[in-house]
Amino acid sequence: MNKLMGFYELNSLSLPTIQWKEYTGKESLSPNFLWTVRSAVFSGNDLNLPRAVGVKSDEAMSFATSLLPQMKNRGMVVYYPYFFANKSGTLNIFNEQIVIEAVKNDLWNLVTLSDRAVTYIINGDEVTINGDGDFLSEDELKYILSNVPAIRKSFRDELFEGKSILLEWSLAQKSDLHKNPTGEEFLIFYELRTV
């Protein structure tokens, strides 16, 4: 499953997820928000694709418009309101195990800088913690884990085949035009793939 299929799967599940839309060149993005624009391919390598994160509406539309010819017949351009990530990480669900990695702020701190704060390895009632065990509160950890049953149900065949389901998440807030967090914190999933 690639990134684009993951976007569709997230929309079909009862998980808190980004409200992405396809950019066709006819959209007008509100100047009252910062935006994230991403490209997604129908098939093939979908890692390190062009993206613009947390940009003003005019830059987002210009970037998205420039991506359209590159994606023609091979993918699509998607956009959604930018969010401020307080904590981020991955949730990797195996048939018999769950692994949660977490990092301060944006997931890129984990992916590009390997700046992991904590890893939780959960086997039934046994939890192994590697790193700062207080990084996620008990409520935050429970909130993330509360979504596992729906994911297991939807992907039971893949799990029985020995695959895992990898999701990217953030505990986030809405953002003002200066990338300052506003409003209540919420959990959001924004990528899903089988591994």
Side-chain angles (χ1 to χ4, degrees):
M1 174 187 310
N2 67 12
K3 187 174 302 188
L4 182 57
M5 290 173 60
F7 281 155
Y8 283 114
E9 285 290 343
L10 281 171
N11 277 357
S12 71
L13 297 172
S14 59
L15 302 178
T17 186
I18 56 172
Q19 299 302 306
W20 65 270
K21 294 181 180 176
E22 181 179 1
Y23 184 83
T24 65
K26 299 175 183 173
E27 293 73 17
S28 179
L29 305 186
S30 170
N32 297 326
F33 303 101
L34 295 177
W35 296 92
T36 295
V37 178
R38 296 174 70 178
S39 49
V41 294
F42 297 133
S43 63
N45 183 9
D46 66 349
L47 300 175
N48 301 314
L49 292 172
R51 65 185 176 274
V53 178
V55 296
K56 292 187 177 179
S57 60
D58 56 346
E59 184 180 343
M61 287 187 291
S62 175
F63 181 76
T65 300
S66 73
L67 281 180
L68 286 174
Q70 298 175 45
M71 293 293 108
K72 187 175 183 178
N73 300 323
R74 62 179 285 252
M76 67 171 52
V77 179
V78 300
Y79 68 98
Y80 51 88
Y82 170 76
F83 55 85
F84 182 88
N86 296 312
K87 298 175 185 177
S88 300
T90 58
L91 169 62
N92 203 354
I93 302 168
F94 299 84
N95 199 26
E96 300 292 332
Q97 178 176 274
I98 298 167
V99 178
I100 297 174
E101 288 192 307
V103 67
K104 184 177 179 182
N105 300 123
D106 195 276
L107 185 62
W108 302 116
N109 292 330
L110 177 64
V111 175
T112 59
L113 303 177
S114 299
D115 190 18
R116 178 187 55 85
V118 64
T119 299
Y120 300 88
I121 302 171
I122 303 163
N123 288 297
D125 293 333
E126 183 180 322
V127 179
T128 303
I129 301 171
N130 183 338
D132 180 2
D134 295 325
F135 182 73
L136 292 177
S137 71
E138 187 176 333
D139 286 343
E140 290 170 336
L141 191 57
K142 283 182 181 177
Y143 190 22
I144 294 166
L145 290 171
S146 70
N147 294 280
V148 170
I151 299 162
R152 282 192 189 277
K153 182 178 178 183
S154 293
F155 294 97
R156 64 180 170 266
D157 291 342
E158 289 85 350
L159 291 170
F160 285 132
E161 290 172 7
K163 296 178 182 175
S164 71
I165 312 304
L166 179 65
L167 297 96
E168 295 178 358
W169 58 268
S170 287
L171 292 165
Q173 292 174 267
K174 291 182 178 178
S175 172
D176 68 13
L177 292 174
H178 304 288
K179 295 190 178 180
N180 296 311
T182 63
E184 296 293 317
E185 186 175 75
F186 54 90
L187 173 65
I188 192 163
F189 291 99
Y190 44 90
E191 191 157 321
L192 180 152
R193 66 175 65 232
T194 54
V195 180

